[in-house]
């Protein structure tokens, strides 16, 4: 079975589309997916961020603490459950995630509501930075969200501007696995624009088997 790590920042809409594609296609090709944390806030530390993207970077910083806190308590399975719920709220329904209603959201995920305090707890910043660094190491350099790694050999992307559907999605994953496991393959890229198109009406919940998410 092929093991795939997907490093993502929960606030990144492109990572959301990639995760939906990957989790949906993985079972068909005999792949096991683990969702892992990276951070656009950490990635952009020391760099100028234009005004339009600053709110997203701030959301990345605060939600990154929450995801680090959940991972510390519940492991990768807890991370995946929270991402499914928060990702749907942000990327499908276009709603922000703030303190208001967060206790209910955590409760719906089967998580301790006390974890909501981590949004503003800088004590979790080191854990976020450590998780982010793991993804950068797999890539071998600086890269954004998402990063897909097979056998700890990471690549930025795939960046999808829309969900390819199951049939094309399976073919895409087979191609990605072939490229990632081909010695000497380094990069394949074309220009793209965003944000991605997310099918809100046809959204379906996708989650890998529980054992595929454990650390």
């Amino acid at each position: 079975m092929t093991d795939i790590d997907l490093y993502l920042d929960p606030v990144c809409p492109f990572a959301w589309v990639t995760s939906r594609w990957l989790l949906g296609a993985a079972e068909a090709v005999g792949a096991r997916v683990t969702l892992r944390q990276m951070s656009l806030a950490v990635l952009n530390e020391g760099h100028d961020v234009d005004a339009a993207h600053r709110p997203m970077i701030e959301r990345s910083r605060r939600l990154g603490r929450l995801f680090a806190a959940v991972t510390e308590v519940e492991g990768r399975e807890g991370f995946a459950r929270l991402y499914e719920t928060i990702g749907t709220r942000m990327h499908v329904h276009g709603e922000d995630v703030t303190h208001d209603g967060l206790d209910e959201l955590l409760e719906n995920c089967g998580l301790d509501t006390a974890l909501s305090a981590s949004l503003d707890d800088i004590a979790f910043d080191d854990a976020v930075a450590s998780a982010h660094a793991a993804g950068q190491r797999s890539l071998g350099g600086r890269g954004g969200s998402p990063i897909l790694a097979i056998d700890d050999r990471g690549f930025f992307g795939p960046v999808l501007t829309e969900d390819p559907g199951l049939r094309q999605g399976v073919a895409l994953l087979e191609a990605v696995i072939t490229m990632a496991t081909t010695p000497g393959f380094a990069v394949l890229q074309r220009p793209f624009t965003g944000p991605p198109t997310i099918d809100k009406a046809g959204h379906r919940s996708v989650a890998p088997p529980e054992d595929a998410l454990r650390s």
Side-chain angles (χ1 to χ4, degrees), residues 1-2 12 23 33 42 44-45 67 76 78 84 89 98 115 119 129 136 148 158 166 176 181 194 200:
M1 179 176 285
T2 302
C12 175
L23 293 173
V33 178
V42 174
N44 285 281
E45 285 178 352
F67 275 87
R76 301 297 173 192
E84 179 75 25
R89 175 168 294 191
T98 63
L115 290 165
L119 279 178
Q136 303 296 287
L148 182 145
L166 185 58
V176 167
T181 56
K200 295 173 171 46

Side-chain angles (χ1 to χ4, degrees), residues 89-157:
R89 175 168 294 191
M90 286 194 301
H91 304 303
V92 177
H93 299 302
E95 300 173 4
D96 200 1
V97 177
T98 63
H99 272 299
D100 295 337
L102 184 55
D103 285 357
E104 182 181 357
L105 184 152
L106 290 169
E107 191 172 273
N108 290 340
C109 292
L111 299 169
D112 187 350
T113 58
L115 290 165
S116 63
S118 62
L119 279 178
D120 300 308
D121 190 346
I122 63 173
F124 289 101
D125 287 353
D126 286 346
V128 174
S130 178
H132 175 80
Q136 303 296 287
R137 285 195 300 271
S138 76
L139 183 63
R142 182 175 181 269
S145 174
I147 293 170
L148 182 145
I150 298 175
D151 296 332
D152 204 34
R153 186 168 183 245
F155 296 86
F156 170 59

Side-chain angles (χ1 to χ4, degrees), residues 23-41:
L23 293 173
E27 185 175 356
V29 304
R32 180 168 50 200
V33 178
T34 301
L35 302 182
R36 299 184 183 274
Q37 185 172 9
M38 65 90 65
S39 170
L40 292 173

